Amino acid sequence: MKWCLESIIRSGARLLVLLMLPVLLHSPAHALDDLPDDYTFVPRCGGIYDLCGYAHRQDEHELIPKRYERVTMFSEGLAAVRIDGLFGYIDKTGKVVIEPRFDLAGPFHEGFAEILVGQKTGVIARNGDIVLQPQFKRSIPLNDDIIVVQNGIYGSSMDSELAVLGAAFSLYGVPVSRGTWGLYQLGKGWLTADSYQFKAFDGPYLWARDMSAEKPLFGVMGIDGKWLVQPAFDAVQGLQEGRAVVSVNVGERQRPRLLSGAVDAEGKVVIPLRYDGLSFWAKGYSVVRLNGREGFMDIRGGLLGGRFFDKVERDLEQNPFKVLLDGQWFGISRDGSLGEVPVDVLKEKLARAGRTSEAPKPLKNTQCDNGVSIVSRDSLWGLEGPDGHILIEPKYEAISCFHKGVAWVPDSDRRLWCPVGPDGKVRSKPDCRTTYYAVDSPHYYPEEFDSDPFRSSLLWMQAFLKHGLDPRHQPPRLMGGKQDIKPFFVNCGDRSPCE
């Protein structure tokens, strides 16, 4: 029932998919055999309880049965999975090798992984021993000794059932988890103050800037906390194909103007900072902009074809593809010569694939996946399986579909929504929550039925379910956060933004 939010969350993974498409669609089938073994295990969920397991990426045959509530990608041969509300780790046979005892668990990196207990994170070793007691908001292991940590209490901006412990900072943009960080050494303590913003650079080095400085600038810092390159840049990217884009601000505070260039793996400027923009490097080239014109620049700073054009574009495999010159598009080859615009083979494959697929259809308010239905008896709610047998007795004031092994029900005495497992029993894990809504949208919020958040969500869900059972009941509304967004009734059985 959470299709609106999840479609947006899943879109965050589309960049990775696009980067892998040239391998998956443009290479022979046996090329998948050359991918890392961890990558062949793909999470797959389903069944009446929406449990999860793993399938083979190439032919979708089952590798590990669907028996876990949540699963993550394998890393270093282990994957974090949730069992009875807590996370542990399994190996590639599906055997539990680290018992479930964590609220969240992240991927392994060089034999160590971040874990969450309550509202604090720490680090475990591959044998499950805790090497850094939970005490930080985030704790990202860089190797067997150095951790990037952030002070505070852990919190996720997304639904708790979708929260993950992932990378601390991204290759191109701002840190995934905002705020300031520090480097921490096991057994010794802080190597730096906790006042830094970090971004990926390469290997044992990070882009770092001290946010407590009068003018915070990025430099290259080793994981020992010592500078390789002193702070000098206003904006930076990670190293790709031996080059990292860097920029300096030459404008006024109110009217900034960035000039861009690039550094090499040692942090030395190898492409002067005189361009209006440089994109990431891929297939040997970056897209460069200067005085309103564009070109393809190689890692030595040379221009493909020896010139700028009105506009340039890559193909979906990131190769230099076409250029606009005097109002006409031309294809551009690796030697810089111009010709007829070729066919973007990968784009055509994707277009054909899109034409053969069907758009997903929204579910009715009381219809779950895999034939499960929300049913009512004496104004109470439960769940019924596809064969008509009762999965959850109708004894709750409201209920959700099963999602990742749990359904959510209200507890009016505690004024909380709590999870129910496949056995029909209310659990303490995952943690109970104040509100629950079957439909979630980043641009809207549920209409308020009561000043008490729990009571309001209960009334909203009851209206949602009653309408699903009998359309004569008025459905609840989602309200716009902006004045130009009009509220609408939530009726996923008809046309609505949930589609």
Side-chain angles (χ1 to χ4, degrees), residues 212-251:
S212 67
E214 183 177 348
K215 185 178 181 181
L217 296 174
F218 280 103
V220 180
M221 179 182 285
I223 59 175
D224 58 1
K226 298 178 180 179
W227 292 107
L228 173 69
V229 176
Q230 290 295 320
F233 307 109
D234 290 283
V236 295
Q237 292 184 11
L239 196 73
Q240 290 181 299
E241 300 192 3
R243 296 291 183 267
V245 177
V246 294
S247 304
V248 294
N249 181 19
V250 296

Side-chain angles (χ1 to χ4, degrees), residues 38-313:
D38 285 339
Y39 189 71
T40 64
F41 283 71
V42 183
R44 291 290 182 263
C45 305
I48 60 176
Y49 300 113
D50 192 34
L51 294 173
C52 304
Y54 295 86
H56 195 284
R57 183 175 295 276
Q58 186 170 357
D59 60 17
E60 289 290 330
H61 76 267
E62 184 179 84
L63 295 173
I64 299 176
K66 297 181 178 72
R67 57 191 178 209
Y68 309 104
E69 294 170 0
R70 289 184 61 188
V71 299
T72 64
M73 291 294 292
F74 274 89
S75 59
E76 299 184 0
L78 299 180
V81 301
R82 194 177 77 187
I83 302 171
D84 294 336
L86 293 173
F87 280 86
Y89 289 84
I90 61 171
D91 63 19
K92 290 181 178 177
T93 69
K95 177 184 176 182
V96 176
V97 294
I98 298 178
E99 290 297 321
R101 61 184 194 275
F102 311 115
D103 292 296
L104 278 178
F108 272 91
H109 176 68
E110 295 197 15
F112 295 87
E114 181 184 21
I115 49 89
L116 175 71
V117 178
Q119 294 181 299
K120 295 287 187 176
T121 67
V123 175
I124 61 168
R126 191 178 174 85
N127 62 3
D129 289 346
I130 294 179
V131 297
L132 177 66
Q133 290 294 328
Q135 57 189 289
F136 296 107
K137 178 179 180 179
R138 294 297 307 272
S139 309
I140 312 296
L142 297 180
N143 59 20
D144 60 356
D145 194 34
I146 308 298
I147 317 294
V148 181
V149 299
Q150 185 178 38
N151 274 317
I153 295 175
Y154 176 83
S156 175
S157 60
M158 65 176 63
D159 187 294
S160 61
E161 285 297 277
L162 301 173
V164 295
L165 293 177
F169 37 84
S170 64
L171 187 62
Y172 308 108
V174 298
V176 173
S177 182
R178 296 178 182 271
T180 58
W181 304 69
L183 295 177
Y184 190 92
Q185 186 172 17
L186 294 177
K188 293 186 178 180
W190 293 94
L191 295 175
T192 70
D194 62 342
S195 58
Y196 286 86
Q197 185 182 80
F198 294 113
K199 295 184 182 181
F201 180 67
D202 182 56
Y205 295 103
L206 302 166
W207 285 117
R209 64 175 172 180
D210 187 350
M211 301 305 291
S212 67
E214 183 177 348
K215 185 178 181 181
L217 296 174
F218 280 103
V220 180
M221 179 182 285
I223 59 175
D224 58 1
K226 298 178 180 179
W227 292 107
L228 173 69
V229 176
Q230 290 295 320
F233 307 109
D234 290 283
V236 295
Q237 292 184 11
L239 196 73
Q240 290 181 299
E241 300 192 3
R243 296 291 183 267
V245 177
V246 294
S247 304
V248 294
N249 181 19
V250 296
E252 301 174 358
R253 175 172 295 184
Q254 301 300 323
R255 300 182 64 183
R257 183 195 174 202
L258 291 178
L259 291 183
S260 299
V263 300
D264 62 14
E266 296 180 352
K268 297 178 181 178
V269 175
V270 290
I271 294 178
L273 285 84
R274 63 187 184 202
Y275 299 101
D276 296 321
L278 281 172
S279 75
F280 59 91
W281 259 268
K283 301 299 179 70
Y285 290 94
S286 169
V287 174
V288 58
R289 295 191 304 277
L290 181 65
N291 298 327
R293 308 202 73 189
E294 297 183 352
F296 292 111
M297 178 175 284
D298 63 30
I299 62 173
R300 297 177 299 278
L303 289 172
L304 184 62
R307 60 172 299 171
F308 283 92
F309 301 92
D310 299 323
K311 187 175 179 60
V312 302
E313 289 187 10

Side-chain angles (χ1 to χ4, degrees), residues 209-472:
R209 64 175 172 180
D210 187 350
M211 301 305 291
S212 67
E214 183 177 348
K215 185 178 181 181
L217 296 174
F218 280 103
V220 180
M221 179 182 285
I223 59 175
D224 58 1
K226 298 178 180 179
W227 292 107
L228 173 69
V229 176
Q230 290 295 320
F233 307 109
D234 290 283
V236 295
Q237 292 184 11
L239 196 73
Q240 290 181 299
E241 300 192 3
R243 296 291 183 267
V245 177
V246 294
S247 304
V248 294
N249 181 19
V250 296
E252 301 174 358
R253 175 172 295 184
Q254 301 300 323
R255 300 182 64 183
R257 183 195 174 202
L258 291 178
L259 291 183
S260 299
V263 300
D264 62 14
E266 296 180 352
K268 297 178 181 178
V269 175
V270 290
I271 294 178
L273 285 84
R274 63 187 184 202
Y275 299 101
D276 296 321
L278 281 172
S279 75
F280 59 91
W281 259 268
K283 301 299 179 70
Y285 290 94
S286 169
V287 174
V288 58
R289 295 191 304 277
L290 181 65
N291 298 327
R293 308 202 73 189
E294 297 183 352
F296 292 111
M297 178 175 284
D298 63 30
I299 62 173
R300 297 177 299 278
L303 289 172
L304 184 62
R307 60 172 299 171
F308 283 92
F309 301 92
D310 299 323
K311 187 175 179 60
V312 302
E313 289 187 10
R314 306 177 192 258
D315 65 15
L316 287 186
E317 290 183 299
Q318 303 304 324
N319 293 298
F321 182 57
K322 62 181 182 179
V323 299
L324 181 65
L325 183 62
D326 298 329
Q328 184 177 352
W329 284 101
F330 297 91
I332 188 166
S333 64
R334 282 278 172 173
D335 63 7
S337 60
L338 304 184
E340 185 178 347
V341 178
V343 174
D344 188 336
V345 177
L346 184 56
K347 188 174 182 179
E348 283 295 305
K349 284 187 176 182
L350 290 174
R352 289 196 298 270
R355 287 194 293 267
T356 59
S357 62
E358 293 184 1
K361 297 179 180 179
L363 302 175
K364 292 184 178 180
N365 301 8
T366 54
Q367 181 183 344
C368 308
D369 290 329
N370 300 298
V372 175
S373 301
I374 298 178
V375 294
S376 178
R377 183 193 304 156
D378 300 328
S379 299
L380 297 176
W381 302 88
L383 293 173
E384 181 180 273
D387 59 358
H389 78 279
I390 295 297
L391 302 176
I392 304 292
E393 287 290 336
K395 59 181 180 180
Y396 298 103
E397 294 178 90
I399 196 169
S400 75
C401 295
F402 269 103
H403 179 69
K404 300 299 184 284
V406 296
W408 292 86
V409 298
D411 183 334
S412 292
D413 292 334
R414 300 170 60 193
R415 310 194 74 73
L416 293 171
W417 289 80
C418 295
V420 174
D423 59 2
K425 297 180 179 179
V426 176
R427 301 178 175 175
S428 60
K429 291 289 183 178
D431 292 334
C432 296
R433 51 203 291 181
T434 303
T435 62
Y436 180 90
Y437 295 97
V439 179
D440 211 336
S441 170
H443 303 297
Y444 296 86
Y445 59 92
E447 73 172 297
E448 187 176 286
F449 283 87
D450 192 277
S451 60
D452 175 69
F454 167 78
R455 182 67 180 166
S456 184
S457 67
L458 174 57
L459 294 173
W460 195 98
M461 279 293 294
Q462 288 176 336
F464 181 77
L465 295 175
K466 288 176 181 177
H467 176 76
L469 203 64
D470 184 349
R472 290 174 295 181

